[in-house]
Amino acid sequence: MSNPDVIVVGGGIGGLSTAFALRRQGLAVRVLESAAEFGEVGAGLQIAPNCTRILHEYGLLDQVVKRGVAPADMIMFDAVDSSELTRLDLRDLERAYGFPYIVIHRSDLHGLFLDACRRTGVELLNDQQVVGYEQGTGSASVRLADGRVETAPLVIAADGLHSVARRQYVGDPTVSSSYVAYRGAVPIEQVRANQVDEDAVAVYVGPGCHFVQYPLRGGEMFNQVAVFESPKALAGVEGWGSPDELDAAFEGTCEQVQLGLPMLWRDRWWQMYDRDPIDQWVYGRVALLGDAAHPPLQYMAQGAIMAIEDGWVLASHVARNQTAGGVDWASVLAAYQAVRPEHCRRVVLTARVWGELWHLDGVRREQRNAILRSRDTHDYTFTDWVYGPTALFPEDEPEMYRAIPLAGAGQDGSTTHDSR
Ligand code: FAD
């Protein structure tokens, strides 16, 4: 491929899903990935209906369902006394939003997008370290570490939390939450003795810590994530997040959590960062996307989903602004800029508050528990703005944008895809 229409910097879930979405519109797309191979680090991902509706439209949902698990419930427990606080009935949720709630191994979802890119002719290049961006006339260029320069009418910076483009165009710092995550995915046989719920996403929320469990790979594997406030990260000193801090943070938690802790990978851990929201994502012909634009804390499980939504929105506006003469990039980028930042701002800020609520102690923990227990299981007041398709359309022009086909999304909320 000599001159791509679009260069995508970064081959994570955001970059690959966007490359595939744009390729489906007939564009020549080149992905530049700094790593020697395409891949994902980590274990599980939760994929809510606002994402599975897009996967369905891409023709990938059946494979996602096959490789993942569609659990029956998401249940929140108090991590200290193990009492149930609230739950989502995920079968009913599927009926309400028209698409399922899936949990899937990160590398499986990433692999599906990688295969889809390969199948459709996206150019995928590794060992491509992008170090800077330049604007041209009706184009933008990337500079690579080896001195090469590549140019295209649109450059998408999907280079993650530590994005070079974000540093160049915005220059804001990452925000440390002082929370640290341990993860671990093990064969299901290893946790059966712990009486785990193999058909649920279980979230145990406790003072300064929480613990998440769910099945993966058709139920063959079990994913567990422990997150806690690291005293050393809080103090800004070396050695943050070590296993002794992990064990101390979960000391007062219930048996179900205690049984899960030894199964985590204890040789690596991740500090949790986000960034303050920004309202400008488009700089000339460079567009920020995914974590480069809106890295969230993980409490709403929407980071990868927002990246996939970003790509869907871009591609849907290419579809409506493309003629034989080419793509009207100014209109596409104006629409992208109009639709996405406000929704993602709300997710990033809500995730921070949601996390604070999870980690309350003392009387505030009791108050939280009382409020959560009073919620009706089938009340979707608090999920509509996230799980519905509203994130894909600007609120002030709903009629025009809702005409964009979202295959299978019944206007009446009827179920159009059955994962069972
Ligand atoms: P990344 O995955 O970071 O990809 C960026 C890519 O760019 C990488 O491949 C990198 O190698 C490449 N790159 C970087 N710099 C350069 C460069 N200079 N040149 C070329 N290439 C470069 N989200 C959900 O939707 N559901 C969940 O359940 C969920 N759970 C989470 C749990 C935890 C503990 C955490 C930490 C996050 C979770 N997330 C979840 C968030 C999600 O993982 C991220 O938001 C998502 O993976 C971001 O994808 P991305 O493609 O934008 O960025």
Side-chain angles (χ1 to χ4, degrees):
M1 190 192 293
S2 51
N3 291 312
D5 299 307
V6 182
I7 290 172
V8 177
V9 180
I13 287 172
L16 291 187
S17 60
T18 301
F20 173 61
L22 295 172
R23 183 74 195 117
R24 289 177 80 237
Q25 300 304 327
L27 299 182
V29 185
R30 175 176 299 160
V31 177
L32 303 177
E33 164 58 46
S34 56
E37 286 177 14
F38 287 94
E40 265 282 334
V41 185
L45 271 182
Q46 301 179 50
I47 299 296
N50 55 317
C51 185
T52 50
R53 74 176 64 243
I54 294 174
L55 297 171
H56 176 66
E57 182 176 317
Y58 289 171
L60 299 175
L61 183 56
D62 289 343
Q63 291 177 71
V64 166
V65 170
K66 208 151 81 188
R67 294 195 196 184
V69 175
D73 295 287
M74 180 188 293
I75 314 171
M76 184 173 276
F77 299 97
D78 184 294
V80 177
D81 61 19
S82 75
S83 62
E84 181 174 328
L85 302 177
T86 188
R87 74 167 62 205
L88 286 174
D89 171 345
L90 297 180
R91 304 280 188 252
D92 189 66
L93 192 91
E94 178 172 348
R95 275 186 289 277
Y97 294 108
F99 294 92
Y101 197 105
I102 304 292
V103 286
I104 185 166
H105 202 289
R106 271 168 191 270
S107 57
D108 291 344
L109 183 64
H110 184 270
L112 280 171
F113 280 121
L114 189 60
D115 288 348
C117 284
R118 285 195 175 121
R119 210 172 47 242
T120 51
V122 172
E123 190 183 11
L124 298 161
L125 303 177
N126 290 105
D127 294 313
Q128 310 286 316
Q129 179 79 33
V130 171
V131 294
Y133 296 75
E134 279 148 34
Q135 299 293 338
T137 307
S139 66
S141 302
V142 295
R143 267 181 295 113
L144 290 123
D146 60 9
R148 278 178 301 124
V149 173
E150 299 216 8
T151 303
L154 174 64
V155 174
I156 294 172
D159 49 346
L161 174 69
H162 301 291
S163 165
V164 170
R166 176 86 175 228
R167 190 168 64 229
Q168 179 173 331
Y169 289 112
V170 187
D172 61 330
T174 54
V175 179
S176 165
S177 74
S178 303
Y179 275 74
V180 172
Y182 277 63
R183 295 152 154 167
V186 295
I188 192 75
E189 295 75 28
Q190 287 185 24
V191 291
R192 284 231 161 96
N194 296 354
Q195 311 276 311
V196 295
D197 188 337
E198 295 180 33
D199 202 15
V201 177
V203 184
Y204 293 83
V205 294
C209 66
H210 73 265
F211 195 75
V212 182
Q213 298 178 311
Y214 53 81
L216 290 174
R217 294 229 164 108
E220 288 171 13
M221 292 186 82
F222 201 69
N223 185 49
Q224 304 190 91
V225 185
V227 179
F228 62 96
E229 188 169 45
S230 155
K232 285 184 183 150
L234 200 59
V237 297
E238 294 291 309
W240 53 263
S242 51
D244 57 315
E245 281 197 340
L246 167 77
D247 292 330
F250 283 91
E251 218 167 47
T253 56
C254 63
E255 188 189 6
Q256 201 55 39
V257 173
Q258 292 294 326
L259 287 170
L261 292 174
M263 311 260 175
L264 298 166
W265 301 323
R266 286 182 161 246
D267 57 347
R268 65 201 121 151
W269 50 90
W270 292 264
Q271 193 170 345
M272 303 286 98
Y273 291 91
D274 67 359
R275 285 183 191 264
D276 289 334
I278 48 170
D279 54 17
Q280 186 182 348
W281 294 6
V282 175
Y283 298 86
R285 289 300 180 91
V286 177
L288 304 178
L289 182 143
D291 272 11
H294 46 71
L297 295 176
Q298 76 283 13
Y299 305 111
M300 289 186 63
Q302 286 282 318
I305 293 176
M306 287 192 287
I308 292 169
E309 286 177 335
D310 291 346
W312 184 92
V313 167
L314 266 177
S316 71
H317 288 281
V318 166
R320 287 180 306 112
N321 289 285
Q322 187 168 210
T323 61
V327 178
D328 173 0
W329 284 114
S331 297
V332 171
L333 291 172
Y336 179 64
Q337 172 67 52
V339 174
R340 294 297 294 157
E342 172 53 23
H343 175 80
C344 297
R345 181 195 67 81
R346 197 170 166 196
V347 173
V348 168
L349 296 183
T350 306
R352 285 180 181 172
V353 176
W354 192 219
E356 282 172 22
L357 210 81
W358 285 16
H359 299 139
L360 292 175
D361 198 0
V363 71
R364 298 184 73 204
R365 167 181 155 239
E366 298 295 338
Q367 289 168 334
R368 173 204 64 201
N369 289 357
I371 292 168
L372 288 175
R373 284 192 188 106
S374 69
R375 175 188 161 269
D376 183 284
T377 302
H378 300 106
D379 175 3
Y380 298 123
T381 314
F382 297 105
T383 54
D384 277 346
W385 71 277
V386 195
Y387 295 164
T390 46
L392 307 177
F393 311 101
E395 276 177 21
D396 52 346
E397 294 181 75
E399 294 315 316
M400 174 181 161
Y401 288 95
R402 277 175 217 292
I404 298 171
L406 258 178
Q411 292 294 315
D412 58 353
S414 58
T415 305
T416 50
H417 175 91
D418 193 343
S419 64
R420 283 149 289 152

